[in-house]
Amino acid sequence: MKLFLFLSFSALMLLEAFGNSHDDDKQTLLKFKSQVSEEKKVLLSSWNNSFPLCRWTGVTCGRKHKRVTGLNLGGFKLGGEISPFIGNLSFLISLDLNFNSFGGTIPQELGNLFRLQHLNMSFNFLGGGIPASLFNCSKLLEIDLFSNHLEQGLPWELGSLRKLVTVDLGKNNLKGKIPVSLGNLTSLIALSIPENNLEGEILDAIARLTQMVFFILGPNHFSGVFPPAIYNFSSLQYLDIYGNGFSGNLRPDFGNFLPNLRALYIGNNSLTGAIPSTLSNISTLQFLGMEYNSLTGSIPPSFSKIRYLRQLYLSGNSLGSFSGGDLEFLVALTNCTLLQSLDVSYNRLGGDLPASIANLSMNLRELTLQNNSISGSIPHDIGNLIGLQTFWLSENLLKGPIPASFGKLPELVEISVNTNGMSGEIPYSLGNITRLERLSLYNNSFEGIILQILEIMQISTLVSLSMSNNSLTGSLPEDVGRLENLGGLVLAHNKLSGKLPETLGKCLSMESLRLQGNSFEGIIPDISGLVGIKVADFSRNNLSGRIPEYLAHFSLLEYLNLSFNNFEGNVPTEGKFKNATIVSLQFLLVG
């Protein structure tokens, strides 16, 4: 009798696995499809009763029992809501619905999927929090809910999923504090919770997560000192606490505890004290971001030992002393042959710019040293940095000319050396930089006839040209009309003269035109096509003729200054001219 009952029970189980349950899975998925938005159902056209279930789009079945074990609809851009019937897929191991547009909530019925190991619902519009039932899925290895609208807080029960390896809950507007129970997830390799509103200190219980490889906390509103628990993560490769309220000093022996780091992002906090020189002990380090803190002292020359260093961001601190000797690290960094980005702007660095910066990595793309007290001149061999795209040394104490070798940098997109004491003529060779978009030379003592920089006027990629407050002479070249992408032309307060070229009206992308404080004469040319202009300043010149009436109808115009010229006739009274806060007409000689 017992044998009979056992065989009957076994037959029943087999029937469930191989018989009707296969059809149940099919009906469950059809109900799932019924709640997908109508315009996207065509992507699931194979989901019908005349097509084998295990060949349906995105469906994976087990080899033996032919039950649905995987549902991968990532990137389909499906809309609608997730059907609660999905909880009937009792053999489901992997559920991937990322990069869709599902709204509503995460169904409570997911808690019935006791075999589930991988859950990815990132990049949707799901709300209502993380359902408590999800914590019944004790086999879960991965939870990825990045970029939804879950809000609420991190549930205490999250710590009950002891097998979890990766958790990504970033960009969900989560609130509250990290629960102590998170320290129970001792198998965790990756925890990512950036772009939320989480707060409080990072508890010591986190120190138990000794397998951690990726630890991403920023940006949030965490506070307290740099979390001591992190020093226990000897396997850590990626640490990101950017954009929080962490304070205090970093341990001097920092680099001895995290020997496997590849990326360290601790910028935009309130950290103080010196940069630990032991960071150079982390031979694997590639990306180092410590910007916008309150760090002091010197930049360790020992960084030269980090042979794989690619990005170094230290801007917005109080590094240096405004005196000589602060730039020794620049000489040392010539040993970092993989360096791509160097940003030490907005600090207190002083001393002469070393000529050896021309020997920095051939891979260097970004060199940003602005807003310091750096003196000396730009080395003539700067053209050796053939991969350079961004060169920012504005607001320093530099003197001397712009090296002609800039013309050898074919990848250069931006040159910014404004607000220094530089002088000399602007080299023709800048016209060889065919990808140049922004040239900022204002507030210096550059001189020469502007026609001599005719080549610059032929760089079709140029978006912004700013050379105000110099001593440039001559007239504005006709070739200015070639700059079809030019959004900003700023030549104010030079010694320019002559008539404004008619081709100025061909710069159809123009948004800001500042020509004040020169000696231009004649009429304003026809610029009626510049309908996107927001700022136009012709003041303090010798312009004459009638004020163009079409200026009154520039719908985006926010500021127009025609003061101190020799215009004739009546001032337009319509459109923008009715608004005295937009239009300035002081001391016009109107007949």
Side-chain angles (χ1 to χ4, degrees), residues 130-144:
I130 303 171
S133 62
L134 186 62
F135 306 115
N136 296 329
C137 303
S138 59
K139 293 186 178 181
L140 269 172
L141 302 174
E142 173 193 7
I143 297 177
D144 188 348

Side-chain angles (χ1 to χ4, degrees), residues 359-427:
N359 299 324
L360 287 169
S361 167
M362 300 286 281
N363 297 298
L364 194 67
R365 298 175 183 174
E366 176 188 359
L367 180 59
T368 309
L369 310 175
Q370 81 264 24
N371 288 80
N372 282 287
S373 294
I374 299 173
S375 52
S377 59
I378 300 173
H380 296 295
D381 295 332
I382 197 71
N384 293 344
L385 303 178
I386 57 174
L388 202 61
Q389 297 177 4
T390 300
F391 184 85
W392 286 353
L393 272 87
S394 56
E395 298 190 50
N396 278 290
L397 304 173
L398 296 170
K399 296 185 180 299
I402 296 176
S405 64
F406 268 122
K408 298 179 181 179
L409 302 176
E411 304 296 322
L412 205 56
V413 173
E414 184 164 2
I415 301 174
S416 180
V417 295
N418 58 274
T419 317
N420 278 285
M422 299 182 70
S423 58
E425 296 185 353
I426 300 169

Side-chain angles (χ1 to χ4, degrees), residues 157 220 250-251 282 292 303 331 444 481 495 523 531 579 591:
E157 294 83 0
N220 273 287
L250 299 174
R251 290 180 58 152
I282 308 176
Y292 296 102
F303 278 171
V331 179
N444 281 287
K495 299 177 181 179
I523 65 170
V531 293
N579 192 336

Side-chain angles (χ1 to χ4, degrees), residues 114-247:
F114 63 93
R115 291 183 171 89
L116 194 65
Q117 296 179 17
H118 306 280
L119 174 64
N120 189 342
M121 293 182 169
S122 58
F123 296 100
N124 280 284
F125 301 100
L126 299 167
I130 303 171
S133 62
L134 186 62
F135 306 115
N136 296 329
C137 303
S138 59
K139 293 186 178 181
L140 269 172
L141 302 174
E142 173 193 7
I143 297 177
D144 188 348
L145 302 176
F146 181 83
S147 191
N148 280 283
H149 304 302
L150 298 177
E151 300 183 343
Q152 300 185 17
L154 286 174
W156 173 274
E157 294 83 0
L158 182 62
S160 67
L161 299 177
R162 300 295 184 95
K163 293 186 178 181
L164 274 176
V165 175
T166 65
V167 175
D168 191 346
L169 303 175
K171 202 172 183 180
N172 271 293
N173 196 29
L174 297 173
K175 302 176 180 66
K177 299 179 179 181
I178 292 181
V180 176
S181 64
L182 210 63
N184 297 334
L185 305 181
T186 53
S187 297
L188 208 59
I189 290 177
L191 176 63
S192 178
I193 48 176
E195 298 184 70
N196 284 296
N197 291 307
L198 297 167
E199 59 186 8
E201 298 185 9
I202 305 301
L203 303 176
D204 291 341
I206 301 298
R208 288 181 279 169
L209 309 183
T210 56
Q211 305 301 312
M212 194 70 73
V213 176
F214 299 91
F215 194 51
I216 305 171
L217 301 183
N220 273 287
H221 302 297
F222 293 120
S223 56
V225 298
F226 180 87
I230 291 176
Y231 293 118
N232 280 18
F233 298 168
S234 59
S235 299
L236 200 62
Q237 295 183 19
Y238 192 105
L239 174 60
D240 184 352
I241 63 169
Y242 179 91
N244 281 286
F246 293 116
S247 57

